[in-house]
Amino acid sequence: MSHIAYINGLYEPNKNALINIEDRGLQFSDGVYEVIYVWNETPVDYGAHIERLSRSLNELNIPAPMSWRSLTVIIKEVIRRNYLRQGIIYIQISRGVASRTHGYSREMEPSLVVTAKFTAPPSEEIVKKGVKVLSTPDIRWARRDIKSISLLPNIIAKQSALDVKAFESVFYKSDGSVTEASASNVWIVDKDKTLITHPTSRDILGGVTRATILKLARDAGYRISEHSFTLQNMHVADEVFLTGTTTFVMPVVQVDKHTIANGYPGECALELRDRYIQYIKDVDPVMAWNV
Ligand code: PLP
């Protein structure tokens, strides 16, 4: 079955959905995006994703292409036309189309693309074994809090992980502190069972899954501390795990050549993953769309 995309007012099969060659998203990566998980045709954490999209647009002075209510109508329609029961919705907004020059007019009309993809989170088999991650210097720009479509350092990092059969690359700064991973946030659990993750700042993307896991963990009575940690702290941690929209909660059992604890997925990660899956299943199909 051909996927149906929305692009600037039209619903088209993906192969016919065309972007102007002078779209600034294409020429300058001048745009932002969101990825929203869909379960049973219902978005997970929709309000938080739309809030982050709105913030990313504001930070870059890109006007919203339409009201959030109209965008919601389009997203529902893309889900409907694709019969998307489980997968992701990808939303991309670029500054729009103009003859190529670095400066831009404030009057530009942004381009909006919404696509659907059938995909499942990592299998139980992978989760049961846990994954390996690679460490990589964080060579990204200083505004990682903006969900920009400019992702070259992220894709280079991800590919270098995949090339050595690792699941993710974890970024560290020149001072040795770990920021996040190429497409997920990073957590450790220390010896006294405190969950630690980098605080939200310009250094990391404030993950929507990160925020939900913080809430679920608090509700479950975990001790939590939002502060930065080093690769060395990861090596000696009781547990390491990743969170993200498509990753859910993924236990990490190896960081470079260092085995984490006994080399098996940690119980906090597995428990939080179960709670997260339950949270997704419990999403109310009507309330889910509230922004
Ligand atoms: N950090 C980066 C760099 C990401 O690209 C992502 C997701 O794409 C995340 C963290 C996790 O964010 P979320 O939980 O909103 O998917």
Side-chain angles (χ1 to χ4, degrees):
M1 189 192 84
S2 171
H3 287 78
I4 307 292
Y6 171 90
I7 174 157
N8 292 331
L10 300 171
Y11 294 93
E12 299 268 18
N14 278 14
K15 60 181 179 355
N16 300 346
L18 301 176
I19 195 95
N20 189 301
I21 57 166
E22 294 213 288
D23 191 284
R24 288 179 64 97
L26 184 63
Q27 292 184 330
F28 291 111
S29 294
D30 186 0
V32 301
Y33 76 106
E34 277 297 326
V35 175
I36 304 176
Y37 195 74
V38 173
W39 169 262
N40 266 342
E41 298 168 16
T42 304
V44 178
D45 286 331
Y46 185 68
H49 282 285
I50 294 299
E51 200 175 298
R52 186 172 63 186
L53 181 61
S54 168
R55 180 178 181 278
S56 296
L57 289 170
N58 277 335
E59 292 296 314
L60 297 178
N61 285 317
I62 300 175
M66 59 185 63
S67 70
W68 299 122
R69 188 174 287 206
S70 302
L71 178 66
T72 300
V73 171
I74 289 168
I75 294 170
K76 283 184 176 171
E77 188 60 14
V78 170
I79 290 175
R80 193 186 70 78
R81 288 189 188 220
N82 286 284
Y83 305 99
L84 185 68
R85 289 193 63 72
Q86 188 186 5
I88 54 168
I89 284 290
Y90 175 78
I91 307 164
Q92 181 178 305
I93 301 173
S94 80
R95 198 178 302 277
V97 175
S99 176
R100 188 184 182 283
T101 181
H102 286 60
Y104 57 86
S105 152
R106 305 266 175 194
E107 312 306 318
M108 288 186 64
E109 245 182 68
S111 301
L112 169 64
V113 171
V114 181
T115 59
K117 185 170 159 189
F118 299 89
T119 172
S123 69
E124 283 299 321
E125 214 184 317
I126 296 174
V127 174
K128 257 194 251 155
K129 283 193 197 145
V131 296
K132 169 176 148 187
V133 297
L134 198 69
S135 64
T136 312
D138 200 338
I139 57 166
R140 298 174 299 160
W141 72 326
R143 288 305 306 273
R144 302 158 192 149
D145 55 316
I146 298 172
K147 202 161 166 68
S148 150
I149 57 174
S150 178
L151 288 170
L152 263 183
N154 304 60
I155 62 173
I156 291 168
K158 183 72 168 197
Q159 191 58 43
S160 45
L162 297 178
D163 286 346
V164 295
K165 303 216 170 346
F167 181 80
E168 253 288 32
S169 266
V170 167
F171 289 121
Y172 61 91
K173 293 199 296 186
S174 52
D175 67 1
S177 61
V178 170
T179 48
E180 57 184 332
S182 77
S184 47
N185 290 112
V186 184
W187 303 62
I188 59 175
V189 182
D190 73 6
K191 299 285 171 216
D192 73 349
K193 295 275 170 224
T194 302
L195 305 184
I196 305 169
T197 193
H198 196 290
T200 48
S201 70
R202 292 185 171 194
D203 279 350
I204 66 161
L205 182 76
V208 168
T209 321
R210 175 191 176 283
T212 298
I213 294 296
L214 275 174
K215 185 178 176 309
L216 294 177
R218 272 198 193 102
D219 292 350
Y222 282 97
R223 264 191 309 273
I224 293 164
S225 176
E226 294 179 66
H227 65 75
S228 68
F229 51 84
T230 62
L231 277 175
Q232 177 62 25
N233 296 139
M234 283 178 88
H235 298 160
V236 298
D238 254 25
E239 293 186 34
V240 175
F241 63 90
L242 308 169
T243 57
T245 294
T246 52
T247 308
F248 288 13
V249 179
M250 175 58 79
V252 172
V253 294
Q254 192 180 334
V255 178
D256 299 318
K257 294 209 155 39
H258 301 265
T259 301
I260 304 304
N262 60 6
Y264 290 96
E267 59 188 42
C268 301
L270 293 178
E271 195 206 338
L272 288 169
R273 185 171 182 276
D274 286 347
R275 285 181 183 265
Y276 185 66
I277 290 171
Q278 194 54 50
Y279 168 82
I280 288 177
K281 291 184 174 164
D282 287 346
V283 173
D284 181 296
V286 176
M287 303 299 277
W289 292 98
N290 286 349
V291 172

